[in-house]
Amino acid sequence: MRIKTRVTDMLGIEKPIIQAAMGWIARAPLSSAVSNAGGMGIIETSSGELDAIRGEIIKMRDLTDKPFGVNVAQAFIRDPGIIQFVIDQGVKFVTTSAGDPMKYTATLKAAGLTVFHVVPNLAGALRAVAAGVDGLIVEGGEGGGFKNPKDVASMVLIPLVCERVDIPVVAAGGIIDGRSMAAAFALGAEGVLMGTRILSSAESPVHENWKTAIVNAEATDTVFLNRKGPGPALRALRTERTTRLEEEGSPNIFGEFARTQDVYFGGDLEAGIALTGQVAGRITAVKPVAQVFADTMSEFEATLTRMTAVRA
Amino acid sequence: MRIKTRVTDMLGIEKPIIQAAMGWIARAPLSSAVSNAGGMGIIETSSGELDAIRGEIIKMRDLTDKPFGVNVAQAFIRDPGIIQFVIDQGVKFVTTSAGDPMKYTATLKAAGLTVFHVVPNLAGALRAVAAGVDGLIVEGGEGGGFKNPKDVASMVLIPLVCERVDIPVVAAGGIIDGRSMAAAFALGAEGVLMGTRILSSAESPVHENWKTAIVNAEATDTVFLNRKGPGPALRALRTERTTRLEEEGSPNIFGEFARTQDVYFGGDLEAGIALTGQVAGRITAVKPVAQVFADTMSEFEATLTRMTAVRA
């Protein structure tokens, strides 16, 4: 079975699955695995390590001949020269996030790129449409990562946006498999984005301790932090540290990320914050990306068959 | 088009739509409108006003010849005699909530009733299955009303439960129409529950001010209160009062409900807490229940057609 939507057409991908641009994690080894499996691999910039990222973008050419993209996490990039670098490298797809969609959309589109903007609510979606983006990534509050403090769940947010915009929508937050992808499509999405599911894949570079924690987590084992600011809110794995932050708050949420290398790659989950979505509660095994995507596609098909069977 | 699932079969209803047992609101005038429109009307007990409720159950016989049910909100009923009253009245369907499913399931089932238990997470679902209930109402955190403080969104919770239990699941939280019902079915549900959508229907007895506030609300216009207790957490409409409660907390959350009559039926939304789900942001008009249900069924059908069309 193949799925054809405006998202697969615009991005030139076989499967309507985009990988989340996870800071420090979404680099060439993992993102090329996603592209090679027929999805859209994305190189991150939210780490702010732009020198390293330039190298990762170049590496992608050796690791895949399939389409891939780059995320421009506007709040985290100190050197806007990265925009021209992405254009010069011949990257065809950019997602913009964490900033005003008016800032880079015209430049990127003038250079022939396809631009999707990441939004957490309807107001953001309408502003991105006004900026002229080609599509939206619409993130429900159940997803991991940096969040708008006024979170809205995918079941409400995805149809709300889809009913109000004409450009294609990619659903993010709560998606790990064929039945959740089918739900996103029912709500009006034409593609899905997976974060925690790919973060916990075999090809993911994160430490086994984090993957094991995701496999063992219940759906109630995430926390939503820093709703009152300052700085962004976020959803993360529940640990002793994040439970304390949930209780007491943090005067400087970015300070909690000082030892991210130790958390992500050293496996010390108490050394900082492990950004993780509620879907951790549904993930029961570490699987290769290609297996995740193949299972997703076949379960999507089975879900359509099951749904149509309810007609009496 | 008709939909046939284990939920429609077990409950003897034409449409797989159950009405939330909203305290003070889910009484004979509204619940009979739901039953007469082909759904499952439910009489509430969470108001604790059991004398009034006995009258409402009797009134239902005059207002509809279709099936209806009663919710037993265990934490709120001071007189367990209501159980025998429900049985004696020949009610065939009970939902139990806000308490241990072990408490009443055996009695109700021995009397021939069908019992669904309301749960907010997987652990609750498994306990209800062990108690022998016939089905589950699984409530995502985006829904309005009293909530588990560790909320899980429908997109994650519904498939998590459906994959682990063999009894039918009714999805609650985020459902107002055919596309959200189709999403719930994709996730594995065989029926849906609507609260805020029916609360804001033409037949709902609540004050026009509340209905208008729902029609005008954005999806970000609810608050999640009292996550740290004491007492239950809840999701409600954002007002000046609830914004203050979100900031400052409340030492006695039940005290905030002292003037509920003024809020619900007097229209003074600042006199207490108006329990409301995130779907308020998707509701743009007050409609009769029969119209809501008819639109839902036809949009469900259209959604299936749209979804199957993505196959290349």
Side-chain angles (χ1 to χ4, degrees):
Chain A
M1 180 206 185
R2 290 202 45 166
I3 293 175
K4 180 179 160 60
T5 70
R6 287 184 293 175
V7 170
T8 59
D9 285 351
M10 290 168 82
L11 306 190
I13 51 179
E14 289 165 39
K15 302 183 178 81
I17 308 171
I18 298 179
Q19 162 239 306
M22 300 167 281
W24 288 277
I25 299 164
R27 298 200 174 175
L30 178 58
S31 300
S32 64
V34 170
S35 290
N36 286 329
M40 176 56 84
I42 307 275
I43 299 293
E44 61 92 11
T45 56
S46 57
S47 65
E49 297 180 347
L50 295 187
D51 288 341
I53 283 154
R54 285 182 171 86
E56 297 296 316
I57 294 170
I58 291 168
K59 264 189 239 170
M60 283 297 276
R61 296 280 176 223
D62 293 330
L63 295 173
T64 185
D65 55 6
K66 301 279 181 65
F68 68 92
V70 175
N71 171 243
V72 174
Q74 297 178 206
F76 300 93
I77 55 168
R78 290 188 198 87
D79 173 13
I82 192 73
I83 302 289
Q84 193 58 46
F85 182 82
V86 166
I87 293 169
D88 292 344
Q89 285 295 316
V91 172
K92 299 293 181 209
F93 178 54
V94 160
T95 61
T96 53
S97 60
D100 189 339
M102 300 289 174
K103 191 161 182 184
Y104 296 121
T105 301
T107 304
L108 291 164
K109 299 238 341 143
L113 281 75
T114 299
V115 180
F116 279 32
H117 192 66
V118 182
V119 300
N121 53 39
L122 178 61
L126 297 178
R127 183 161 178 84
V129 168
V133 302
D134 300 292
L136 298 171
I137 296 172
V138 180
E139 280 197 347
E142 56 268 70
F146 293 106
K147 313 298 291 181
N148 189 286
K150 291 185 176 177
D151 57 315
V152 180
S154 291
M155 184 67 91
V156 176
L157 182 61
I158 305 298
L160 177 66
V161 172
C162 289
E163 287 175 334
R164 292 286 296 276
V165 307
D166 293 323
I167 59 176
V169 164
V170 173
I175 319 288
I176 63 161
D177 58 2
R179 64 169 81 198
S180 48
M181 185 165 90
F185 275 52
L187 297 173
E190 296 177 54
V192 295
L193 181 136
M194 293 187 189
T196 305
R197 176 66 275 190
I198 293 175
L199 163 69
S200 59
S201 70
E203 293 91 339
S204 167
V206 308
H207 194 279
E208 195 182 319
N209 288 358
W210 191 1
K211 296 184 190 182
T212 302
I214 288 171
V215 167
N216 291 337
E218 304 289 332
T220 46
D221 287 340
T222 68
V223 295
F224 195 97
L225 299 181
N226 208 41
R227 201 181 291 272
K228 297 178 186 177
L234 57 87
R235 184 177 293 284
L237 189 68
R238 181 179 291 284
T239 60
E240 288 180 27
R241 187 191 190 106
T242 60
T243 298
R244 194 174 65 242
L245 289 170
E246 185 186 34
E247 292 284 325
E248 300 170 6
S250 171
N252 172 19
I253 196 71
F254 287 118
E256 302 292 329
F257 288 89
R259 290 182 57 204
T260 287
Q261 295 289 327
D262 295 338
V263 179
Y264 284 18
F265 308 112
D268 181 0
L269 298 178
E270 297 293 349
I273 294 176
L275 298 171
T276 307
Q278 288 186 347
V279 289
R282 295 194 60 218
I283 293 170
T284 56
V286 172
K287 298 195 288 188
V289 169
Q291 187 66 49
V292 169
F293 289 5
D295 291 351
T296 295
M297 296 297 282
S298 60
E299 194 187 33
F300 180 88
E301 175 77 23
T303 300
L304 287 189
T305 303
R306 172 168 56 74
M307 290 174 73
T308 50
V310 304
R311 289 186 278 207
Chain B
M1 178 206 184
R2 290 203 44 167
I3 293 175
K4 179 180 161 59
T5 70
R6 287 184 294 174
V7 169
T8 59
D9 286 351
M10 290 168 81
L11 307 190
I13 51 179
E14 289 165 39
K15 303 183 178 80
I17 307 172
I18 299 179
Q19 161 239 308
M22 299 166 282
W24 289 277
I25 299 163
R27 297 200 176 175
L30 179 58
S31 300
S32 63
V34 170
S35 290
N36 286 330
M40 175 57 83
I42 306 275
I43 299 293
E44 60 92 12
T45 57
S46 58
S47 65
E49 297 181 347
L50 296 188
D51 288 342
I53 283 155
R54 285 182 171 88
E56 297 297 316
I57 293 171
I58 292 167
K59 264 188 240 170
M60 283 295 276
R61 296 280 176 223
D62 293 328
L63 296 172
T64 185
D65 55 4
K66 301 280 181 66
F68 68 92
V70 175
N71 172 242
V72 174
Q74 298 178 206
F76 300 92
I77 55 169
R78 292 189 196 86
D79 173 12
I82 193 73
I83 302 289
Q84 193 58 47
F85 182 82
V86 166
I87 294 169
D88 292 345
Q89 285 296 316
V91 172
K92 300 293 183 210
F93 178 54
V94 161
T95 61
T96 53
S97 61
D100 189 340
M102 300 290 174
K103 191 162 182 183
Y104 296 121
T105 302
T107 303
L108 291 163
K109 297 231 354 133
L113 281 76
T114 299
V115 180
F116 280 31
H117 191 67
V118 182
V119 301
N121 54 39
L122 179 61
L126 297 178
R127 184 162 177 84
V129 169
V133 302
D134 300 293
L136 297 171
I137 296 172
V138 180
E139 279 197 347
E142 55 269 70
F146 294 106
K147 312 298 291 181
N148 188 288
K150 291 185 177 177
D151 57 314
V152 180
S154 292
M155 185 67 91
V156 175
L157 183 61
I158 304 301
L160 177 66
V161 172
C162 289
E163 287 176 333
R164 292 287 297 277
V165 307
D166 293 323
I167 59 176
V169 164
V170 173
I175 319 287
I176 63 161
D177 58 3
R179 64 168 81 197
S180 48
M181 185 164 90
F185 275 52
L187 297 173
E190 296 176 54
V192 295
L193 181 136
M194 293 186 188
T196 305
R197 176 65 275 190
I198 293 174
L199 162 69
S200 59
S201 69
E203 294 91 338
S204 168
V206 308
H207 194 279
E208 195 181 322
N209 288 358
W210 191 1
K211 296 184 191 182
T212 301
I214 289 171
V215 166
N216 291 337
E218 302 290 330
T220 45
D221 287 340
T222 68
V223 294
F224 195 96
L225 300 181
N226 208 41
R227 202 181 290 273
K228 297 177 183 175
L234 58 86
R235 185 177 294 283
L237 189 68
R238 181 179 292 283
T239 60
E240 287 179 29
R241 186 191 191 105
T242 61
T243 297
R244 195 173 64 241
L245 289 169
E246 185 187 35
E247 292 284 324
E248 300 170 6
S250 172
N252 172 20
I253 196 71
F254 288 117
E256 302 293 330
F257 289 88
R259 291 182 57 203
T260 287
Q261 296 290 327
D262 296 337
V263 179
Y264 284 17
F265 308 111
D268 180 1
L269 298 178
E270 296 293 349
I273 294 176
L275 298 170
T276 306
Q278 288 186 347
V279 289
R282 295 194 61 218
I283 293 170
T284 56
V286 172
K287 298 195 288 187
V289 170
Q291 188 66 48
V292 170
F293 289 5
D295 291 350
T296 297
M297 297 298 282
S298 60
E299 193 187 32
F300 180 90
E301 175 78 22
T303 301
L304 288 188
T305 302
R306 174 169 54 75
M307 289 174 73
T308 52
V310 303
R311 288 187 278 208

